[in-house]
Amino acid sequence: MSFSPDIATFSFAPELGAEIERIMARYPEARKQSAVMPLLHLAQKQHGGWLPRAALDHVADFLEIPRIRVYEVASFYDMYNTEPTGRIQVRVCTTTPCWLCGSDDVVRAAKEVLGVGIGESTEDGRFFLREFECLGACCNAPMMWIDDDYYEDLTYERTKAVLEAIKAGERPAPGPQSGRKGSEPFGERHTLLAKPGPDRTRTGGQPAADHEPERKGRPDDHQHDPTAPIADAAHEQVRKAKKGTLDDEIVAIDPKPGESKTAGKDSD
Ligand code: FES
């Protein structure tokens, strides 16, 4: 990977001062190099979607770390562009879940609206189109990431509508374009239908003090189950038998002074 020189010097715009302070406040002074990624994001935004060499150097000098450390980060992570690109970054996820849900249609629509191929920028320098690996929104696949926003539940038509609107200078509401909220199920709810199991809040999240295994199912099933007391008695017997076996094994492994490892066993 090469770094484009583009400009001789770079420095953060004064209006980003408050944002930089907010980022730096997250890290102790001795660990301020941890701010390298958010600062690179900021620099990339300021410079119109990509990072010239001067911006990388400025971030390194700002954090007082060797410049090579910043070059390593910028060249490793896919979200940083080290060559000139269009300002509006359109990234279409084409990893398997999105592909199965129709990301080919999303790519096709994006190419048609923007008039460029994957990895290309529009002639006016406004848009940059690329494919991306999973962006963590698979439950709302297929999706694309435009600048800071996710557009989800896309189809060919919805992708076109979003990109046409952005081309016209608008910013459509991000999120699912299907009308659903978040990743709620389409149609009726079909998960989390049963009542929750035993409440562990009274035991601080721990199993009950006697370490009895939890009985599966709804908590009130037990009182209507005539076989439950019999099952409980059988369970207790098994528990005791197991405990006896365990005690024997402990004696055999770790005998008391003067006892052989076979103490308590047949010794003829
Ligand atoms: S596969 Fe596309 S967001 Fe995960």
Side-chain angles (χ1 to χ4, degrees), residues 84-90 110-117 119-130 163 167:
T85 66
R87 291 186 305 283
I88 299 175
Q89 309 273 316
V90 180
K111 283 178 173 173
E112 283 177 20
V113 175
L114 302 179
V116 293
E120 294 174 1
S121 298
T122 54
E123 272 183 14
D124 60 3
R126 278 189 78 200
F127 291 91
F128 175 53
L129 174 64
R130 59 169 301 187
L163 289 172
K167 257 181 119 173

Side-chain angles (χ1 to χ4, degrees), residues 6-7 9-17 19-20 38-52 54-55 58-59 87 89 147-148:
D6 182 58
I7 52 170
T9 59
F10 175 95
S11 56
F12 283 119
E15 56 269 30
L16 292 178
E19 177 64 6
I20 292 170
L39 289 189
L40 284 175
H41 276 294
L42 221 50
Q44 182 163 276
K45 256 190 185 178
Q46 177 181 321
H47 196 65
W50 71 282
L51 290 161
H58 180 69
V59 170
R87 291 186 305 283
Q89 309 273 316
D147 291 341
D148 294 333

Side-chain angles (χ1 to χ4, degrees), residues 93-99 133-138 141-143:
C93 175
T94 52
T95 303
T96 312
C98 277
W99 177 70
E133 294 300 324
C134 178
L135 288 161
C138 325
M143 56 83 66

Side-chain angles (χ1 to χ4, degrees), residues 43-145:
Q44 182 163 276
K45 256 190 185 178
Q46 177 181 321
H47 196 65
W50 71 282
L51 290 161
R53 170 91 170 255
L56 302 176
D57 292 347
H58 180 69
V59 170
D61 296 348
F62 184 87
L63 295 173
E64 298 176 319
I65 55 177
R67 291 177 172 180
I68 183 66
R69 295 278 171 254
V70 177
Y71 301 165
E72 286 167 350
V73 173
S75 58
F76 180 80
Y77 289 101
D78 232 10
M79 70 282 274
Y80 301 120
N81 301 313
T82 52
E83 294 291 327
T85 66
R87 291 186 305 283
I88 299 175
Q89 309 273 316
V90 180
R91 302 132 172 147
V92 180
C93 175
T94 52
T95 303
T96 312
C98 277
W99 177 70
L100 287 170
C101 292
S103 65
D104 282 354
D105 291 337
V106 179
V107 170
R108 186 162 55 90
K111 283 178 173 173
E112 283 177 20
V113 175
L114 302 179
V116 293
I118 295 293
E120 294 174 1
S121 298
T122 54
E123 272 183 14
D124 60 3
R126 278 189 78 200
F127 291 91
F128 175 53
L129 174 64
R130 59 169 301 187
E131 287 182 323
F132 227 79
E133 294 300 324
C134 178
L135 288 161
C138 325
C139 51
N140 290 28
M143 56 83 66
M144 63 183 168
W145 175 26

